[in-house]
Amino acid sequence: MKNNETDKTPSPEHVTLRPAADVEETPTGVEIIFEMPGVKNSDINIEVGSGMLKIEGKSALQRHGIPVLFKRSFYISDTVDVDKIKACAKDGIVTLSLPKAEHALPRKITVS
């Protein structure tokens, strides 16, 4: 028996894309730079917890008429001071600064 009803599969709410990211270790921490074109600062959501860093941004761009959602996750070390993570965004570039915790920074020891 043939079913003549139209397909009522809902269309996706958004297209999820992984933004390109550059990760660079510095002497005092890690810097992550994301490309998220068309995303306003107010549409960026960053969460950190349980050893995971998650970033999500709703873009004004569309792919095949469906809104784009940029989404990326990273495992982070316990050497990162999560209370001091900073984020800034400008012209579709989001920069996260993840400073090392005090206990993870190198210390100079003087010899007596």
Side-chain angles (χ1 to χ4, degrees), residues 14-19 56 63 66-72:
H14 55 265
V15 174
T16 303
L17 299 176
R18 271 182 74 179
E56 186 175 288
R63 181 176 270 186
I66 301 170
V68 171
L69 176 71
F70 291 103
K71 198 172 186 178
R72 191 87 188 249

Side-chain angles (χ1 to χ4, degrees), residues 25-57:
E25 187 169 3
T26 67
T28 58
V30 174
E31 192 170 87
I32 306 174
I33 301 170
F34 299 92
E35 295 178 20
M36 300 175 84
V39 177
K40 292 188 266 177
N41 292 11
S42 60
D43 291 330
I44 298 171
N45 183 38
I46 302 169
E47 294 180 6
V48 64
S50 301
M52 288 290 296
L53 172 74
K54 297 177 184 178
I55 185 167
E56 186 175 288

Side-chain angles (χ1 to χ4, degrees), residues 79-92:
T79 62
V80 172
D81 188 343
V82 295
D83 294 327
K84 294 183 180 175
I85 294 175
K86 293 184 182 176
C88 66
K90 186 176 179 184
D91 299 328

Side-chain angles (χ1 to χ4, degrees), residues 4 8 43 51 58 70 81 91 94 105:
N4 288 331
K8 299 203 183 202
D43 291 330
K58 294 177 187 173
F70 291 103
D81 188 343
D91 299 328
V94 180
L105 292 172

